[in-house]
Amino acid sequence: MSHDHSHHISHYNRAFAIGVLLNLIFVVIEAGYGFFANSLALLADAGHNLSDVVSLLLAWGANVLASKAATDKRTFGYKKSTVLASLMSSVLLMAALASIAWHAIERFENPQPVTGMTVIVVSLIGVVINTLTALLFVQGQKHDLNIRGAFLHMAADAAVSLGVVIAGIVILFKNWQWVDPVVSLSIVVIVFIGTWGLFKDSLNYATDAVPKNISIEKLKQYFLSIEHVTGVHGLHVWPLSTTESALIVHLVTDNNALNNDFLIELQHHLHDHFDIEHATIQVESSQGSTGCMFNHGHAHG
């Protein structure tokens, strides 16, 4: 079973285009004023925003690839590209965070003056742009890891930019230059928390772990609750992409008269109650069988 996601793809193509454009403009503004104001916080945030542009481009490209039709060579199409994009995005971001942290620690040892008002104004612009960008993805982030990655990055940036505003106000009125690297390290901590979660989920999807919204035990219970089903084996569930999951299962029954209507009903139930888009179900008779090869050390249950 599969569904047409063309409207979903088209909608987020526009969201990605707007998000990339807004953030590119802001990166140029923020980096320019960062050099002018000699602010590591602004430069660090500009670098992070540039990595977000790369992440948005990766997610956008994967979103487009995922919509391409399957071929004889790639029977599931390019759906897995959304998982790879999420994984690459999280790795690139963690590398950028390591660089930011290193330079912030150096600034503690060699503090330099920072122009507070410039930091405040530019970061306020960042709060607005990052919030607007995050809102573009707020609906889809609940059901799509690829979209969630884009949303989390933008939402974190909005919060971080607000923190930079606070640092600018402190420097402007108290002249505490140490606040600048403290804010930079705070950026690292805040963004790392969200990025680590994205990395773990993406790695699980990339290695075909069961999606966390699907319970193998509940699936077994459902299958065994079906009339005439006496056994379950060969049960495997894995993510096809950041939005679609697949299942294969062998059901042992005591009724040889089960027909296609039975299979169709199962597929609809798996889609509606377990969010499984593609289900392949093999029905085996419990009478006069020596047993399926997958029931000997190769499967769940």
Side-chain angles (χ1 to χ4, degrees), residues 13-283:
N13 279 342
R14 292 192 295 271
F16 280 120
I18 294 171
V20 167
L21 180 60
L22 286 175
N23 280 271
L24 274 176
I25 292 172
F26 181 57
V27 165
V28 173
I29 294 173
E30 189 170 33
Y33 276 100
F35 281 112
F36 170 76
N38 194 32
S39 169
L40 180 62
L42 280 181
L43 290 174
D45 201 43
H48 172 59
N49 275 297
L50 184 59
S51 73
D52 280 343
V53 171
V54 174
S55 296
L56 285 174
L57 289 172
L58 283 171
W60 187 4
N63 204 50
V64 172
L65 282 175
S67 67
K68 291 188 174 296
T71 65
D72 289 342
K73 182 177 178 60
R74 301 185 185 279
T75 56
F76 282 121
Y78 290 86
K79 296 180 184 297
K80 205 77 166 185
S81 60
T82 56
V83 175
L84 297 177
S86 299
L87 184 59
M88 290 173 62
S89 176
S90 61
V91 171
L92 288 173
L93 184 51
M94 285 193 287
L97 293 177
S99 176
I100 293 172
W102 176 262
H103 288 295
I105 292 171
E106 285 187 334
R107 183 61 68 96
F108 272 119
E109 298 176 358
N110 300 290
Q112 298 181 28
V114 175
T115 305
M117 183 56 69
T118 302
V119 172
I120 295 170
V121 173
V122 176
S123 296
L124 278 173
I125 297 172
V127 172
V128 174
I129 290 179
N130 289 320
T131 300
L132 289 175
T133 306
L135 290 175
L136 294 172
F137 303 103
V138 69
Q139 291 298 322
Q141 58 95 18
K142 297 178 182 178
H143 310 290
D144 186 339
L145 183 63
N146 193 36
I147 301 300
R148 181 159 67 91
F151 170 78
L152 287 176
H153 282 213
M154 295 301 109
D157 284 352
V160 166
S161 293
L162 185 60
V164 175
V165 171
I166 295 172
I169 293 174
V170 172
I171 292 172
L172 187 64
F173 290 98
K174 294 292 187 177
N175 198 33
W176 293 344
Q177 301 298 330
W178 53 266
V179 170
D180 188 45
V182 166
V183 169
S184 297
L185 289 175
S186 298
I187 289 173
V188 170
V189 173
I190 293 171
V191 178
F192 179 79
I193 292 172
T195 305
W196 183 249
L198 179 65
F199 172 76
K200 288 196 301 181
D201 289 343
S202 300
L203 187 60
N204 283 334
Y205 274 50
T207 54
D208 288 337
V210 176
K212 59 184 180 181
N213 64 311
I214 297 174
S215 167
I216 289 292
E217 286 304 316
K218 289 183 179 179
L219 278 170
K220 290 181 183 177
Q221 291 171 12
Y222 163 65
F223 288 130
L224 290 173
S225 71
I226 300 171
E227 186 178 8
H228 299 300
V229 173
T230 60
V232 178
H233 60 267
L235 174 58
H236 299 278
V237 180
W238 71 98
L240 293 176
S241 69
T242 52
T243 58
E244 297 178 59
S245 299
L247 170 149
I248 58 173
V249 66
H250 294 203
L251 302 181
V252 181
T253 73
D254 58 11
N255 185 351
N256 294 329
L258 295 178
N259 56 26
N260 286 342
D261 290 339
F262 167 76
L263 295 177
I264 292 172
E265 182 181 344
L266 259 62
Q267 289 177 319
H268 277 294
H269 187 93
L270 290 171
H271 175 270
D272 295 340
H273 296 275
F274 291 94
D275 292 327
I276 294 174
E277 291 276 348
H278 300 263
T280 302
I281 303 164
Q282 178 171 317
V283 178

